[in-house]
Amino acid sequence: MEWSIQEVARLAGVSSRTLRHYDAVGLLPPTRTGAGGLRYYDGDSVVRLQRILLLRDLGLGLDAVGRVLAEQTDPAAALAGHLEQLRGDRRRLDRQIASVERTLAALDTGGRLMAEDMLDGFDHTQYREEVEQRWGREAYASSDAWWRSLGAAGQAGWKARLTALNADWTAAAAAGLAAESDEAQALATRHADWLASIPGTPGHEQGRAADAYLLGLADMYVADDRFAANYGGERGAVLVRDALHHYVAHRPA
């Protein structure tokens, strides 16, 4: 089954000019070109467009979108990562909607305004106490200041990078890859590099995540369901844990 460029543009809510531009920059070539130069797109192309639109909604520029698409070669795994993020966003938005509704109700009736009700769903520092207990106040303060400094576009790019990494871990677990395999170790390297890039994390200043920090997080991914969910559940979390343990044991000193 295939659709013309006009049909795809109408369904996606974008212009035909946008689709032609995506082709020009190498993001979305048409499946074929018919008589008169009319472009057609098949199901795989529409899936790719869906991924492009999701990444654009995160605030990524076209160059960044291209890099993510090049890194995430399994569309199903990539979309699974997007789905988990969207569900998290929906839960957060549901809390914010309920919070605003309670505020409006209180304003309309003259009821008592409760700060905990009005601000529910808006706190990005909800894990502050946990982070400070595990790694100290300085670690939280540094990472929080860095996060705020990124701005909306930078935060969106960082989230997309994390989404890509989590999706690739999920796909690796679904494929039954061994923790010591080259593919899993490449993911472990990306994981360690990602952690080391965050100010405040142990080893950041040296550009190398500390061994104890990596091992502690690896074990936490399995022990804490909140983290395991990022990798498709316990199976994925176990792969991440075992791969990181192998990575730490074998990386050069």
Side-chain angles (χ1 to χ4, degrees):
M1 188 173 184
E2 61 181 14
W3 299 264
S4 70
I5 187 172
Q6 291 87 355
E7 291 173 314
V8 172
R10 176 178 60 81
L11 293 170
V14 300
S15 66
S16 296
R17 181 180 180 182
T18 295
L19 294 177
R20 288 193 293 270
H21 182 62
Y22 287 169
D23 178 23
V25 298
L27 283 181
L28 186 68
T31 307
R32 70 178 180 91
T33 302
L38 184 61
R39 301 165 188 228
Y40 291 90
Y41 301 83
D42 64 8
D44 290 340
S45 295
V46 174
V47 169
R48 186 174 177 88
L49 176 59
Q50 183 183 48
R51 295 176 61 195
I52 292 171
L53 296 177
L54 286 167
L55 292 167
R56 292 290 283 162
D57 281 347
L58 289 174
L60 269 65
L62 295 183
D63 288 344
V65 169
R67 288 194 296 272
V68 172
L69 292 175
E71 291 177 357
Q72 295 181 309
T73 57
D74 184 339
L79 288 172
H82 279 298
L83 180 59
E84 184 59 34
Q85 181 173 353
L86 289 170
R87 285 171 172 164
D89 290 342
R90 181 176 64 185
R91 290 190 292 269
R92 177 178 55 80
L93 287 172
D94 284 344
R95 289 173 60 197
Q96 291 182 355
I97 290 170
S99 171
V100 173
E101 288 176 342
R102 288 193 296 269
T103 300
L104 287 174
L107 291 172
D108 288 342
T109 63
R112 184 181 178 185
L113 294 172
M114 303 293 290
E116 58 268 30
D117 288 338
M118 290 186 289
L119 301 179
D120 182 42
F122 293 89
D123 182 18
H124 80 282
T125 64
Q126 57 183 307
Y127 300 119
R128 174 175 182 170
E129 183 177 354
E130 183 174 350
V131 171
E132 289 183 344
Q133 287 178 350
R134 290 181 180 274
W135 297 293
R137 291 183 179 180
E138 184 177 349
Y140 175 81
S142 297
S143 59
D144 181 61
W146 162 78
W147 178 253
R148 293 175 186 274
S149 73
L150 290 178
Q155 290 172 2
W158 188 91
K159 288 179 180 178
R161 181 183 177 189
L162 177 58
T163 297
L165 179 61
N166 290 351
D168 288 345
W169 275 122
T170 301
L177 294 182
E180 64 275 11
S181 67
D182 290 343
E183 295 89 344
Q185 285 306 295
L187 285 174
T189 301
R190 280 174 57 192
H191 201 103
D193 290 345
W194 161 65
L195 290 169
S197 72
I198 304 171
T201 59
H204 167 72
E205 293 183 357
Q206 293 75 35
R208 174 188 170 98
D211 288 354
Y213 174 62
L214 280 177
L215 295 176
L217 277 180
D219 292 340
M220 189 193 308
Y221 293 154
V222 176
D224 193 323
D225 290 340
R226 294 173 302 171
F227 292 100
N230 293 325
Y231 309 111
E234 183 179 359
R235 181 180 181 184
V238 168
L239 174 62
V240 179
R241 181 197 63 190
D242 293 348
L244 287 174
H245 274 263
H246 185 86
Y247 170 79
V248 170
H250 293 85
R251 69 174 174 173

